[in-house]
Amino acid sequence: MKILVAVKRVLDYNVKARVKSDQSGVDLSNVKMSMNPFCEIAVEEAVRMKEKGLAEEIITVSIGPSQAQETLRTSLAMGADRSILIEIDENVEPLAVAKLLKGVVEKESPNLVIMGKQSIDGDNNQTGQMLAALLGWGQGTFASKVEKDGDQLKVTREVDGGLETVGLKLPAVVTTDLRLNEPRYASLPNIMKAKKKPLDTMAPSDFGVDVSPRVVTLKVTEPPKREAGIKVESVEQLVDKLQNEAKVI
Amino acid sequence: MSYKPPVQDMAFVLKHVAEMENLLAYPAYEDFDMDIVDPVLEEAAKLAANVWAPLNRDGDTDGAKLKDGQVKTTPGFKDAYLQYVAGGWNALPHNPEFGGQGLPWSLSMATNEMWQAANLSLGLCPLLTQAGIEALEHHGSDHLQKTYLEKLVSGEWAGTMNLTEPQAGTDLAAIRTVAKKDGDHYLLQGQKIYITYGDHEFTDNIIHLVLAKIDGLPDDNSGLGLFLVPKFFVNEDGSLGDRNDVWPVSLEHKLGIHGSPTCVMAYGDKGECVAYLVGKEGEGLKNMFTMMNNARISVGLQGVSMMERAYQHAVHYAKERVQSFKLGGSSDERVAIIEHADVKRMLLTMKAYADAGRALSYYAGAQLDRQNNEADADKKKAAANRADFLTPLVKGWCTDMAVEVSSIGIQVHGGMGFIEETGAAQFIRDSRILPIYEGTNGIQAADFMFRKFLRDQGTEVKKYIAEMTAADLSAMEAETQQALKSGLKTLKETTEWLLKQDMKDLDPFAASSTYYLKMFASVAAGFLMAKLAIQAKGDTSPFAQNKVKICRYYIEALMPQASGYAPVIMGGQSVLRDMEQHSFDS
Ligand SMILES: Cc1cc2nc3c(=O)[nH]c(=O)nc-3n(C[C@H](O)[C@H](O)[C@H](O)COP(=O)(O)OP(=O)(O)OC[C@H]3O[C@@H](n4cnc5c(N)ncnc54)[C@H](O)[C@@H]3O)c2cc1C
């Protein structure tokens, strides 16, 4: 089996996001960037499948600026075999990402695509679903467990009511949830080896995909500061406020 | 408050002080380029911050214990150590011939700083293994190297360093543990005390390097030998055999580093402790010093680690603790204490010393790389001299400052600093060992004064001062330049004064040695900070702009304090001569 894993370079999850002074977006200059945590889980899952003998090759792909090479190197240090960077400086929306990934899938013919359920910057939670639809493949989203079962893939999904297990025919798309696994730390020898693994750079035009945005961002603001609360005098006052001011009961 | 490895600060010093790019040009590093620095630091940082650091407090409250002749370490320590070994981190700077990764020492200064800052007690185990590897690589026979080095390099086995005995601490010529020749090996008998990680359950085997007196040789340094004593014998095929006659007999109760087992070790209680000579008979002390010099720089680095850790802890608290109105500000709202100038002073002092210590120690690490790699004999010698020269400065100064900085850290916390659960108190208790082991700081000062300064009539000192004098400081602010020049001038005058004193009476030199070491280290670090500031000035990122401020604070506000040692050295010690033992009876 050949696995394709999509990884995104995002604002590090430890960094507090700040809005640019012109309110056009989040300020990404001079801040620490790293691999989207859901993507790390996706890479880890692919590497575990390879270690179990279920996969022969893992290809990671990232769509982003040239610095996304560092993110791809991290995936190579974790155990991926080779990487592809589709280099583009502008923000790419989920549909365009899905179309580009479709192009990569057609070129590489993987049996399985694993990706994060969402990236922690856009929080769109769309790309995996769109990719599956574009390819006409089955999808197992929000995976907390992935098992090979004959020629099927059994994917346990975290849904609102609990867990749902679906059986997918391959090829398929799986998106990862937080509890799927705990990503490893890359070892020093693997970091060194990663430097020598192949990393190809391509352009969106190589796939004939129009990446121009369809959505216009009007304004980005920080969440409102929490205001100080008040002390209520009595239970009656509390109930009254909940009913008439907050309108929650 | 967790520990966040200052990866950006480290990379900056590696680049501009250790000059990594130049180091990587040596043929030994042809496989590497600057692109390796960030990924290596980032991954090490994850393990240090997420696995090692959270166990630091556990090590303090639930330290190592001895049960049925076996040391049990803090729960979690073994697993954290094994993750470090599995990650290949122990092998980072070592010889590829023995499974090492062959990366520069300078780079391992940064990763080691992380392990030590994350968990000083745990970090001591690999620190001693590393020193043992150096000694074996330089002095061990082919057979010893083949049998032991690979597993020590990987960290699968751990090493220890056994010098101290009750009557022989600083004075190693007084060692009484005896080695008697017995065929192709020796039999060892005696007791060692204060042996760090003398026993533990991290690894299947422990390789003790032991300094002992060889039976029949003179009762002074020339009678010493360095011996390798495995806890378990190693069979020809590499598998482990019987237990050797070496046992931990008790553990010390200590002020700090509770997670690190400090053992009393009994060698040859049953008369069956087999030991192998490392190097030649009579060269024990010399060979042990290969190990000690390496370990001394590493201990200096532990000082840097503790400064950084104490600083991070203090900043975190200072941002949260609200107390008092701002001086001259409005009295409607109380502010976080970080707003008060005196608290800012403390925090900036902590950070500036941590940065200055980092610069000085990584600079020393770079000299080791030059020394190991230079093809040109003169340059190789120059690097070796500089490394030797810097060793007591790094060990003595960075560890003294660690105690001071962790004390300031407590002060930032106010009463909470004195309360154990805050965590700030552990840093000062842990730091307090640093000026003591691996040669007390008094001995570092003597080493600096007599061996590194006076023995060559000040040649290396003058060369170093000339280099600082020639530094181009024009990019710095006028007041920064002024502070550097005046610090250097005072250092020069003090040096010249010392060289003119009558060497027949050595006591005045010894009495001033600690101050001269501090003075030299402070000024040398100041010039490295200037170098960093000049680089940072060309960069508009908030990190770089902050770096300029920190460097300037060090140079303009902290370094000048060292000039105060000048009158102390040139006169202030004269009373000392008249003090007899009985003068201390009040
Ligand atoms: C926690 C801990 C861990 C240790 N780990 C190890 C280890 O792994 N292996 C090991 O071998 N040892 C270890 N040591 C021992 C340590 O290295 C010694 O304690 C240290 O070298 C000082 O020796 P001492 O304790 O005998 O002090 P002393 O030598 O008695 O010194 C007492 C004081 O006198 C001063 N002094 C002594 N001689 C002179 C002199 N000639 N000139 C000026 N001043 C002098 C010293 O500077 C010091 O201030 C450890 C100690 C501790 C506490």
Side-chain angles (χ1 to χ4, degrees), chain B residues 16-28:
Chain B
H16 301 301
V17 169
E19 299 179 3
M20 271 292 273
E21 202 153 1
N22 294 341
L23 297 178
L24 291 176
Y26 288 120

Side-chain angles (χ1 to χ4, degrees), chain B residues 128 161-164 168-171 193-196 254 257 262 433 436-440 442-443:
Chain B
L128 287 157
M161 180 164 161
N162 294 246
L163 290 74
T164 310
T170 301
D171 182 7
I193 61 168
Y194 301 155
I195 303 311
T196 301
K254 309 191 293 286
I257 55 165
T262 306
I433 184 59
I436 298 170
Y437 62 24
E438 221 46 74
T440 62
I443 294 310

Side-chain angles (χ1 to χ4, degrees), chain A residues 12-14 29-30 32-34 40 70 73-74 77-78 184-193 195-196, chain B residues 4 31-33 35-36 39-40 42-43 46-47 50-51 83 86-89 91-92 101 103 540-542:
Chain A
D12 186 86
Y13 70 99
N14 283 312
S29 54
N30 299 310
K32 185 167 157 27
M33 307 287 285
S34 41
E40 266 190 316
E70 293 160 22
R73 291 278 174 218
T74 305
M78 287 173 75
R184 71 195 57 200
Y185 302 120
S187 73
L188 180 61
N190 286 343
I191 297 168
M192 306 314 285
K193 279 185 211 139
K195 270 201 57 76
K196 297 195 174 130
Chain B
K4 196 166 155 274
D31 277 357
F32 313 128
D33 55 34
D35 287 354
I36 58 163
V40 168
E42 292 289 348
E43 282 303 314
K46 284 186 199 163
L47 188 64
N50 301 338
V51 180
Q83 283 194 52
W89 296 106
L92 191 146
Q101 194 67 54
L103 285 161
T540 56
S541 73

